[in-house]
Amino acid sequence: MQASLEHLSDLVVVTDAGTEREPQIVYVNQAVVSRTGYQRHELLGRNPRMFQGRDTDRATVSRIAAALRVCEPVREELLNYTRDNTPYWIDITIVPLKGAAGEVTHFVSTQSDITVRKQVEQDLMLFRQTIDQSPSSVIITDRLGKITYVNRGFEVNSGYQGEEVYGRTPGFRAWKPESESDKKAFWDHLNSGQPWHGEFVNRHKDGHQVIKRAMVSPVRKENGEISHFLSVEQDVTAEKKALEQLEFLAYHDTVTGLPNRRLLEKRGAEMLDSSAQADGSYALVLVDLDDFKRINDAYGLGFGDQVLKVVARRMASCVWDVDEQAAHLGGDEFSLLWRVKADDDGSELKARLDALQDILAGPVLIERQTLSLTASMGVAWVEVTADHFTAVQRNADLALYRAKQNGKGGYAFFKPELDAAARRRVSLEEALRIAILRDELSIAIQSQYSPLSQIKGGEVLVRWLNGPDGVPVSPAEFIPVAETSGLIKPLTLLVLSKALAVVTELMDAGILLPLSVNFSTDLFRDVTLIDGVLALVAESGVPPELLVLEITESLFIDTQADVLANMERLSTAGLKFSLDDFGTGYSNLAYLKRMHLSELKIDKSFVDHLPHDDDNRAIVRSILSIARQLRLRVVAEGVETAAQADFLSAHGCDLLQGYLLHKPAPAAEWVSSVKLLKSEKKV
C-alpha cells in the first residue's frame, strides 16, 4: 500500500485520531514532499494546519474541524502554503479510518492540486467583474449573430436588461433600418475574419437617439474556426453633439445665429464651380447698416445686439432658395448670396434689392424704443472666371464703398472702374503719407466779411498742389483718403501749425484775425492728438481764441464721455468751436449748448436760391433766430450773389463767406492782402 501511495500524483496525508490533542501527521507520500518542499521528518508529528497561511479561509478551516470532531468525512477547497511561502490550492477530502472495534484511529486526507484551475477561475472572475464594471457596452453573439451575453454597461447604456435581449440580434436597436447592401458588407467583413469598426445610430429603450462607436471582432476556437463575435461599444452621443456644436460655432455667428464669414467663403467657393451655375448666376450682396455705432453709443452694446438679431431675421427672410445664404460677417455688416435666373436682365436683382431696403427700413421696436434703420449695399456677380471668392468679396466691398459715397440707404453694383478707383486710393494714400512727411502740402485761406465789407476772419483750406502724377489733387479726393487711413491726424497737425504761423505773422503786423481750421470728428477720441493741438497752440504764443475749430454735426452722434472730455479740454484752453454745415445732419438744439460752440455756419445749400426760395428763406431766418437766442455768431457759406449777401445782412447774419466776396488764396498772398487792407482800415 505504501508503495502504491508513493506513486500517486495526489497528495496523501495521514494523521492519528488525536483524541486527547490535535491530530498529528503520521504519514505523507512523496507528492506532499514534492509539492510543499518539506522533508518527511519535518512533517511527521506536526498538525496539518502548518500548511495554512494568512489568506487561508478561516471559515473553511472551521468547517473541516467541526467535521473531524464528529468523525464525519469532509470535502473542501483550501488555500495552503509551501515551505517557501508560495500559495497553492487543494481540493481536500478527509475521511476517518476505523479500527476493528469501530473506533476512529486515523484520518486520511487526499488532496488534488487545483492551483491552475483556481487561477483560471480567479482570472475569469476578474475578467467578468472588469467587463461588467466597464462603462462600455459589451455584447457577445454566436455565429449567427444572436446575443448570448451582455454586460452591465450594455444594460445601463441601452435601457434593456440582459434577459430582454438574449437570442436577439444587436440590430434590433437600430434608429432606422439599414440597407441590405450595408448589412451584407458588414457581415462579409466579419466572416472574412477581419475586425470591423465604425459607428451605429441606435435607439435607447426609452426612445431617444444614441450614437455608438463600435469595434466588432471575430472570436475563434483553438482550431481557428469562428465561434462568436465580440462587440465593444462606446456611447459617443455627447461627443458628437459637442463636435456638432463646435462646428456650428465655427461656421455661425454667436449673436445672430446666421452663417459667418467662414461659411460664406466656403459656400462662395462652391459657387465658383461652373456646374453649380448651369441654370443661373449668383450675386453677392454686402449690407452695411448706416450709423449703427450711433445705436451702440446711445443704448449700449446689449441693445445693439438685439437690433442685430432683428436685422438677421429680416435678412434670413430674403433667402428664397436652398442654394442661397444670408450671413453675418461681424459688427454691422451682413451679406447675401442670391441666385439669379440665367435670363434675367438685372431687373429681378434690382427688385430684390429694393425689397430688401424696404424690409430693413421697417420700424424696429426694442425695449420700448422704436428705431428706423437704413443700409448701404454693394453688389458683385460671382463670376466663374474668378480665381478665388476673395476677389468677389473685394468687388462687392468696392461697390459698398461707392454706395456709401453716394449717400445712405442706397446700393451700387461693382464696375471695373471701381477697381481702378480703389487702386487710385491706395496710390494716393502712400503719396499723401510721403507728402505730409516732406511738408509738401500748403494752405489757402478764404476771407470772411462783415456786412460792412470788413475782413473779420478766414477759413483755412489745405491744398495738395503736387500730387502723385505731378498735378494738384482736390481736397474732396484726398481728405476722405486721409480720414480712412489715419493720416488725418498728422495732416491736421500740419495744417494747424501752418495756420498758427499765419496768425503769428498777422499778429507781428498788429492784426488780430481768427482763423478757422476743419477738425475731423474722429480726432476728438484721440487724447494724444488733443495733447498735440494744445502743445502747438502753447508753443506758437497765439491767443487760443484766435483759433477756431470747425466741426460737423456728425459729432452729435458721438457723445461718449471721452469725446466730451476732450472738447472740454480744448474749450477750457480758450479755443473756439464753429459748427459747420448747420442744419444738414443731426442737429439737436440740446447739444448746441453742450458742445461749447461759439459759431454756426449756414450751409451753402440753404444760401443757394436766396432770396427767392421761400423754404430757404424760412430756414435761414430760423437759424439766425436760434443763433441769437444762444448768443452764437453766424457765418453764411457759399455767398455768390449780391442778392444773397443783402438778404443775409438784412436779417442779421454776422459774417459772409463766398466767391462773391473772396476766392481762397494761397496763405502768403492772403496775408499780404490783409496787411494792405489794414492800411486802408478794412480789417
Side-chain angles (χ1 to χ4, degrees), residues 1-13 27 29-34 108-111:
M1 178 65 71
Q2 182 174 348
S4 298
L5 293 178
E6 290 299 313
H7 289 88
L8 284 178
S9 59
D10 285 348
L11 286 67
V12 178
V13 177
Y27 171 79
N29 69 347
Q30 182 60 39
V32 174
V33 174
S34 300
V108 179
S109 169
T110 305
Q111 307 170 9

Side-chain angles (χ1 to χ4, degrees), residues 205-225:
K205 186 178 180 180
D206 64 14
H208 72 264
Q209 190 181 81
V210 182
I211 303 174
K212 296 286 189 176
R213 182 176 295 138
M215 171 72 79
V216 184
S217 304
V219 178
R220 299 178 184 274
K221 298 179 182 179
E222 291 184 1
N223 62 4
E225 179 185 353

Side-chain angles (χ1 to χ4, degrees), residues 223-476:
N223 62 4
E225 179 185 353
I226 296 174
S227 62
H228 293 80
F229 296 100
L230 170 67
S231 176
V232 180
E233 302 175 351
Q234 290 181 314
D235 188 340
V236 294
T237 308
E239 176 187 334
K240 286 290 184 180
K241 291 186 180 299
L243 288 174
E244 289 176 4
Q245 182 66 14
L246 286 175
E247 184 174 5
F248 180 87
L249 293 175
Y251 286 103
H252 291 79
D253 174 63
T254 55
V255 174
T256 64
L258 285 179
N260 59 13
R261 185 182 299 275
R262 187 177 180 185
L263 187 54
L264 169 69
E265 293 176 349
K266 182 176 182 291
R267 181 69 178 134
E270 296 171 357
M271 294 301 98
L272 292 178
D273 181 1
S274 58
S275 62
Q277 302 197 49
D279 57 348
S281 301
Y282 287 86
L284 174 64
V285 183
L286 292 187
V287 181
D288 190 89
L289 301 180
D290 297 320
D291 299 324
F292 183 72
K293 182 180 182 301
R294 171 172 58 93
I295 296 175
N296 277 337
D297 291 345
Y299 301 106
L301 297 178
F303 185 93
D305 286 347
Q306 295 300 315
V307 175
L308 292 176
K309 291 177 181 179
V310 173
V311 173
R313 289 194 292 270
R314 295 181 179 182
M315 294 284 291
S317 71
C318 296
V319 174
W320 299 349
D321 190 283
V322 292
D323 291 329
E324 297 184 343
Q325 179 177 282
H328 182 207
L329 307 184
D332 59 355
E333 189 174 358
F334 293 81
S335 74
L336 287 162
L337 262 178
W338 274 345
R339 189 182 185 92
V340 184
K341 295 178 181 177
D343 58 353
D344 180 53
D345 59 358
S347 58
E348 177 193 348
L349 182 56
K350 290 180 180 178
R352 293 187 70 176
L353 289 169
D354 291 335
L356 176 60
Q357 291 282 22
D358 293 340
I359 291 172
L360 293 179
V364 176
L365 178 61
I366 297 175
E367 298 177 6
R368 299 183 180 179
Q369 296 290 333
T370 301
L371 304 175
S372 296
L373 301 175
T374 60
S376 300
M377 304 180 189
V379 187
W381 294 102
V382 182
E383 303 285 354
V384 296
T385 56
D387 294 333
H388 198 279
F389 188 67
T390 303
V392 180
Q393 291 178 286
R394 179 176 179 274
N395 291 345
D397 199 51
L398 292 174
L400 176 61
Y401 183 82
R402 174 56 57 89
K404 285 183 169 293
Q405 285 183 317
N406 295 339
K408 301 172 186 176
Y411 57 81
F413 288 84
F414 171 76
K415 298 178 181 178
E417 51 264 33
L418 294 182
D419 187 57
R423 296 180 187 277
R424 166 74 172 171
R425 286 197 300 272
V426 173
S427 174
L428 279 180
E429 179 183 335
E430 188 58 31
L432 181 59
R433 192 185 312 276
I434 295 173
I436 293 173
L437 288 173
R438 295 177 178 175
D439 194 14
E440 294 177 352
L441 284 84
S442 59
I443 61 171
I445 302 174
Q446 185 176 30
S447 299
Q448 297 172 338
Y449 288 85
S450 72
L452 299 177
S453 300
Q454 288 183 308
I455 294 181
K456 293 299 182 179
E459 180 180 358
V460 176
L461 306 168
V462 64
R463 294 290 184 259
W464 190 5
L465 302 177
N466 187 24
D469 299 324
V471 296
V473 182
S474 167

Side-chain angles (χ1 to χ4, degrees), residues 587-651:
S587 299
N588 184 315
L589 298 182
Y591 286 140
L592 294 180
K593 298 180 65 176
R594 297 174 57 190
M595 293 295 185
H596 309 286
L597 298 175
S598 60
E599 178 181 282
L600 297 180
K601 297 191 78 172
I602 301 176
D603 186 68
K604 182 180 183 298
S605 63
F606 300 133
V607 176
D608 290 342
H609 309 299
L610 283 178
H612 309 295
D613 187 280
D614 292 340
D615 292 336
N616 281 10
R617 287 202 308 271
I619 291 172
V620 169
R621 283 197 295 264
S622 297
I623 293 174
L624 291 169
S625 175
I626 292 171
R628 281 194 294 271
Q629 294 296 322
L630 297 176
R631 294 186 293 276
L632 299 175
R633 184 172 64 175
V634 179
V635 180
E637 293 183 302
V639 179
E640 297 181 352
T641 68
Q644 293 170 346
D646 292 341
F647 177 86
L648 291 164
S649 298
H651 287 82

